[in-house]
Amino acid sequence: MTTLLDARPAGGPRDTLSASPVADGARVDALMAEFGLTGEFLGLGGNPQDHRVVAAMSGGVDSSVVGAILHRAGYQVVGMTLQLYDHGAAIHRKGACCAGQDIHDARRVAEAMGFAHYVLDYESRFKQAVMEDFADTYLAGSTPIPCVRCNQSVKFADLLATAQQLGAAALVTGHYIRREEGAGGPVLLRAEDHGKDQSYFLFATTREQLDYLRFPLGHLTKDQTRELALALGLIVAAKPDSQDICFVPDGDYASVVKRLRPDAARPGEIVHTDGRVLGRHDGVIHYTVGQRRGLGVATGEPLYVIRLDAASAQVIVGPREALAVRTIQLADVNWIGDGALADADGMEIAVKVRSTRPPSPATLHVSADGAVSVTLAAGEEGVAPGQACVFYSVDEDSRVLGGGWIRATRSEVQAA
């Protein structure tokens, strides 16, 4: 059940907004026209004022701009910010989303623009669905992506349901991804700005969710978004982007796992791919696939973490060539391409196995029993179980076809 922590409709105290840039209404209108953000640009039909919409506001510049332009266009905007964890210790941590300062910033933006803003308590749900999954995935020897889990289980599930309960016509977010109407319904496309594209983190979006979601920044660059923020006079116009996982602002994943699962990590052996035992370790949670530094062994040759065997508490290391993966086995596949997933067997696609890498050519395989795997045209390094393999069409628009969680991999060395 969602708990309402704070509701601040328009007209609250604004004495804290004195440091805001100066708003320029004429400039805002000109930019919105230039960027195609005029009229009923969400594609809901009728006029903007006919529609109540929920703007998911994290306190960053992107979601703040979304709330502001929706309000400027005439939509009935309800801003919502999620309290996802105890932010008391994180108020002064820069670069971590959804912390106390970010909630404060989202509230101030809504107050300055004049639309309602609510803070919702999702702490227990977030801890169960995201943080505990994060810890368990690491303990299993895999590498989690909590941002995808958060979108999948909190933002596009719980928050979406709350927006629907409020009678909103759409849930609107600041993600850099495009949603367009296709012949068979809405489709997802990579953002125009490939450097900011967030499709890797949204592969689990279902067809039903896509009907309700809107992403008005998908065709903009980050510079254009900041230009809008400055013209709107938003206090967050120059705020830096979040770089870390929100509940791991210092990047120390192992300490978070230890706090959530005390005494769960167990020591074990560091083993070479040729079978030699090279040393000992304090727990697989301290290692990730592809890691080179900090292995704690010296052999005179560069060594990398090839895989983690949590069952036997082994860290397997080897030469760089052993990192190249050609075959990926997937679990919990989400398909939003045309037709049924079973009909896509043998399809030539492009895939991303890391959020920062461009899509690479691959072939999709769907067996008679429903098992899904991908064969890469060329070997990819650092492909780790627990992460995502996202599917794209091979045309120039790079349509998002879905994806799945990496369950296991097979290297070029093994294939040989």
Side-chain angles (χ1 to χ4, degrees), residues 144-295:
I145 316 177
C147 295
V148 176
R149 290 295 189 196
C150 184
N151 289 329
Q152 185 180 32
S153 60
V154 178
K155 293 178 182 175
F156 292 173
D158 298 339
L159 178 58
L160 189 147
T162 299
Q164 290 175 326
Q165 291 167 7
L166 287 175
L171 173 61
V172 191
T173 82
H175 289 102
Y176 285 87
I177 191 169
R178 290 180 291 154
R179 176 196 182 277
E180 295 183 2
E181 291 294 333
V187 298
L188 277 182
L189 303 171
R190 292 182 72 196
E192 290 281 0
D193 183 351
H194 285 184
K196 294 298 297 181
D197 174 57
Q198 292 176 293
S199 59
Y200 182 83
F201 300 101
L202 299 173
F203 80 88
T205 306
T206 66
R207 289 189 174 100
E208 292 75 18
Q209 292 167 347
L210 194 51
D211 282 336
Y212 193 66
L213 291 165
R214 298 294 188 276
F215 310 103
L217 302 187
H219 65 290
L220 303 185
T221 66
K222 185 70 179 199
D223 286 344
Q224 289 172 328
T225 299
R226 288 201 184 276
E227 193 174 4
L228 273 169
L230 284 168
L232 286 158
L234 301 185
I235 57 154
V236 296
K239 188 174 182 177
D241 290 342
S242 298
Q243 300 295 327
D244 300 310
I245 297 170
C246 65
F247 58 93
V248 197
D250 58 2
D252 188 354
Y253 302 159
S255 66
V256 174
V257 176
K258 287 179 180 179
R259 178 166 55 83
L260 292 169
R261 296 288 185 271
D263 304 321
R266 57 192 178 107
E269 296 176 333
I270 299 175
V271 183
H272 196 282
T273 51
D274 63 12
R276 288 178 291 150
V277 176
L278 303 180
R280 300 279 298 175
H281 65 79
D282 294 327
V284 296
I285 62 171
H286 297 284
Y287 300 85
T288 57
V289 172
Q291 178 179 336
R292 178 182 175 184
R293 299 182 183 278
L295 300 186

Side-chain angles (χ1 to χ4, degrees), residues 25-339:
R27 180 62 175 158
V28 172
D29 292 339
L31 288 174
M32 289 181 66
E34 179 184 346
F35 300 155
L37 299 171
T38 57
E40 203 286 283
F41 57 82
L42 294 183
L44 299 173
N47 297 313
Q49 56 265 32
D50 298 331
H51 304 291
R52 174 183 295 169
V53 295
V54 166
M57 300 180 67
S58 67
V61 63
D62 300 323
S63 61
S64 295
V65 165
V66 164
I69 62 173
L70 290 172
H71 178 72
R72 182 82 177 180
Y75 291 95
Q76 304 170 38
V77 182
V78 180
M80 287 192 179
T81 301
L82 307 183
Q83 179 170 310
L84 299 179
Y85 62 99
D86 183 0
H87 58 77
I91 290 176
H92 300 294
R93 292 174 180 170
K94 296 183 179 180
C97 76
C98 306
Q101 184 61 49
D102 298 312
I103 292 173
H104 182 58
D105 288 344
R107 177 187 297 130
R108 292 170 71 195
V109 166
E111 288 177 347
M113 296 303 301
F115 59 83
H117 177 258
Y118 300 85
V119 179
L120 305 179
D121 182 3
Y122 278 21
E123 280 194 37
S124 60
R125 175 63 172 146
F126 183 76
K127 184 174 187 295
Q128 176 187 23
V130 181
M131 295 177 68
E132 292 187 1
D133 175 81
F134 175 87
D136 291 340
T137 302
Y138 257 114
L139 289 172
S142 298
T143 305
I145 316 177
C147 295
V148 176
R149 290 295 189 196
C150 184
N151 289 329
Q152 185 180 32
S153 60
V154 178
K155 293 178 182 175
F156 292 173
D158 298 339
L159 178 58
L160 189 147
T162 299
Q164 290 175 326
Q165 291 167 7
L166 287 175
L171 173 61
V172 191
T173 82
H175 289 102
Y176 285 87
I177 191 169
R178 290 180 291 154
R179 176 196 182 277
E180 295 183 2
E181 291 294 333
V187 298
L188 277 182
L189 303 171
R190 292 182 72 196
E192 290 281 0
D193 183 351
H194 285 184
K196 294 298 297 181
D197 174 57
Q198 292 176 293
S199 59
Y200 182 83
F201 300 101
L202 299 173
F203 80 88
T205 306
T206 66
R207 289 189 174 100
E208 292 75 18
Q209 292 167 347
L210 194 51
D211 282 336
Y212 193 66
L213 291 165
R214 298 294 188 276
F215 310 103
L217 302 187
H219 65 290
L220 303 185
T221 66
K222 185 70 179 199
D223 286 344
Q224 289 172 328
T225 299
R226 288 201 184 276
E227 193 174 4
L228 273 169
L230 284 168
L232 286 158
L234 301 185
I235 57 154
V236 296
K239 188 174 182 177
D241 290 342
S242 298
Q243 300 295 327
D244 300 310
I245 297 170
C246 65
F247 58 93
V248 197
D250 58 2
D252 188 354
Y253 302 159
S255 66
V256 174
V257 176
K258 287 179 180 179
R259 178 166 55 83
L260 292 169
R261 296 288 185 271
D263 304 321
R266 57 192 178 107
E269 296 176 333
I270 299 175
V271 183
H272 196 282
T273 51
D274 63 12
R276 288 178 291 150
V277 176
L278 303 180
R280 300 279 298 175
H281 65 79
D282 294 327
V284 296
I285 62 171
H286 297 284
Y287 300 85
T288 57
V289 172
Q291 178 179 336
R292 178 182 175 184
R293 299 182 183 278
L295 300 186
V297 295
T299 62
E301 61 174 321
L303 293 176
Y304 300 80
V305 175
I306 306 302
R307 66 181 183 277
L308 302 170
D309 188 337
S312 62
Q314 286 187 333
V315 174
I316 294 88
V317 300
R320 182 169 182 173
E321 55 265 26
L323 280 173
V325 164
R326 288 295 293 273
T327 302
I328 302 172
Q329 298 174 2
L330 302 173
D332 299 325
V333 172
N334 178 55
W335 177 254
I336 53 174
D338 296 330

